[in-house]
Amino acid sequence: MTNAPITTTSPIDSFQGINPATGEALPGFFQEATTDEVAQACELAAKAFSEYRKKSGAEKAKFLEQIATEIEALGDELLTRAQAESGLPLARLTGERGRTTGQLRLFADYLREGSWVDARIDTALPDRQPLPRPDLRQMLRPLGPVGVFGASNFPLAFSVAGGDTASALAAGCPVVVKGHPAHPGTSKLVGEAISRAVTICGMPAGTFSIVQGRTVAVGMAIVNHPAIKAVGFTGSFRGGKALFDAAARRPEPIPVYAEMGSTNPVFFLPKILQEKGSVLAQSYVGSVTLGVGQFCTNPGLAIVQQSPEVDMFLQEAGNTITKSQPAAMLTQGIQRAFTEGIGKLSEAEGVNVLAQATAVESFAHGTPTLLKTTADALVANPALAEEVFGPSSVIVEASSREQLLAVANGLEGHLTATVYGTDDELLEYTDLLEILEQKVGRLLINGFPTGVEVSHAMQHGGPYPATTDSRSTSVGTNAILRFARPVCYQNFPDALLPDELKAANPLHIWRLVDGKWMS
């Protein structure tokens, strides 16, 4: 598991990292985890849970901060390996490392403050008629061991020490990570950093484990193990739905919090295009191609309303995408799926390729592409709005305001939706905003959705099929709520209560006492 060395010879059932820019196999072989090894990790996590669940907020906070410190101590070795395995530029990875350590420290601060447990106290009313009220005290408690699946597009921030791991550990849940096979060396380095933090902070063995592998069997072994009580996943719809279905078939079904993709529709209203259509076209293409389009918030769908200004917008967007440069995608498999998806879209009835960058013959380069269709075609074929992961977007032209609203009404669930409009125009389209509020987890005005702030107020989730649970977020401190459940303590002696619920409030946290918030 975490301490297994990188071997220099090719053992049976092993694999290597691949440089997506060149197709070159990178140094080191990584062992495919066996079913027994996965079971051992899950059983260790279950054993650790009995102790780790009792750790105080301060102890867990120190642990998360130590993880951040150990990751930073890896220095350039981590960034160099991550670049080789992902093809992402060093500047992007440096920022992503900062986001990774920053969210660990954010959760540490959140734990020290302590009010996340949502403590609620209804004191006893022995003289109440016709029946007395018992003393009732409720707070959130950890679920149990959590299985986490690393994502391909964020080898640090959504991977081994990413938001799922950070929030699960913060909640008091041991974690078993399935490292993404696209960056096994990066995963191993970060896994070792977390393991060092476990030892330094005196956390129980099994608080964290990582298993690696390319096969579906490794991930399914985690989901199906009875010790695992929840799963966090970021990836494709197909992968997330398979895990969700497997978890539902277990003798004891468990929640799977899967972020499964989104096309994040952007609505450009007529007046704003009159004022700044050219600038918006350029910014739109910049958002589409950012990170080779491999963000879950990539604007893969744009909706406009017929007007002379739209023609100018389309021309400028097409010119801009033509000048963009193809770049290596995360894996050859992702590049193939992108190319096939563009081919399928371009052959669909009513869809035309508006513009495309010059293709580059290479191992895994994706070619930026804009496609155009009509609202009628989209209504007839809703699959046109499905995600094609990569640097592309479909522009949908509506013939009227009513048709634009019909497009919005027909959307499935997405992570985000954006509306661009002037101040007066936005007031005229409040009905559009009301529709979109029912479709997404984050609604933006005059700003592209790429870029997700890690904060207390962020919501990174949305109605199905964007996620399997629209009430949850995978970014921000509310992510901790996925891995906790409410427990009520009735008529407990004060000495037996958790500190969060004791009469004296020794942690000085905010609590709802007899219907009033107080600290």
Side-chain angles (χ1 to χ4, degrees), residues 85 91 188 305:
E85 291 183 331
K188 184 177 188 296
Q305 195 172 310

PDB file of all heavy atoms in Angstrom, residues 85 91 188 305:
ATOM      1  N   GLU A  85       3.502  13.296 -15.665  1.00  0.00           N
ATOM      2  CA  GLU A  85       2.381  12.361 -15.766  1.00  0.00           C
ATOM      3  C   GLU A  85       1.105  13.001 -16.300  1.00  0.00           C
ATOM      4  O   GLU A  85       0.227  12.285 -16.793  1.00  0.00           O
ATOM      5  CB  GLU A  85       2.101  11.740 -14.397  1.00  0.00           C
ATOM      6  CG  GLU A  85       3.195  10.798 -13.937  1.00  0.00           C
ATOM      7  CD  GLU A  85       2.885  10.122 -12.616  1.00  0.00           C
ATOM      8  OE1 GLU A  85       2.162  10.719 -11.779  1.00  0.00           O
ATOM      9  OE2 GLU A  85       3.364   8.988 -12.406  1.00  0.00           O
ATOM     10  N   ALA A  91       3.481  25.982 -13.738  1.00  0.00           N
ATOM     11  CA  ALA A  91       2.790  27.088 -13.067  1.00  0.00           C
ATOM     12  C   ALA A  91       1.409  26.649 -12.598  1.00  0.00           C
ATOM     13  O   ALA A  91       0.978  26.968 -11.476  1.00  0.00           O
ATOM     14  CB  ALA A  91       2.684  28.290 -13.996  1.00  0.00           C
ATOM     15  N   LYS A 188       1.741   8.207  -5.386  1.00  0.00           N
ATOM     16  CA  LYS A 188       2.591   7.550  -4.402  1.00  0.00           C
ATOM     17  C   LYS A 188       3.308   8.571  -3.519  1.00  0.00           C
ATOM     18  O   LYS A 188       3.364   8.410  -2.292  1.00  0.00           O
ATOM     19  CB  LYS A 188       3.612   6.650  -5.091  1.00  0.00           C
ATOM     20  CG  LYS A 188       4.479   5.847  -4.117  1.00  0.00           C
ATOM     21  CD  LYS A 188       5.420   4.933  -4.865  1.00  0.00           C
ATOM     22  CE  LYS A 188       6.131   3.991  -3.888  1.00  0.00           C
ATOM     23  NZ  LYS A 188       6.992   4.713  -2.938  1.00  0.00           N
ATOM     24  N   GLN A 305     -29.371  34.400 -28.608  1.00  0.00           N
ATOM     25  CA  GLN A 305     -30.652  34.720 -29.232  1.00  0.00           C
ATOM     26  C   GLN A 305     -30.386  35.443 -30.534  1.00  0.00           C
ATOM     27  O   GLN A 305     -29.573  36.373 -30.580  1.00  0.00           O
ATOM     28  CB  GLN A 305     -31.464  35.612 -28.280  1.00  0.00           C
ATOM     29  CG  GLN A 305     -32.934  35.743 -28.613  1.00  0.00           C
ATOM     30  CD  GLN A 305     -33.662  36.487 -27.500  1.00  0.00           C
ATOM     31  OE1 GLN A 305     -33.517  36.154 -26.324  1.00  0.00           O
ATOM     32  NE2 GLN A 305     -34.430  37.499 -27.871  1.00  0.00           N
TER      33      GLN A 305
END
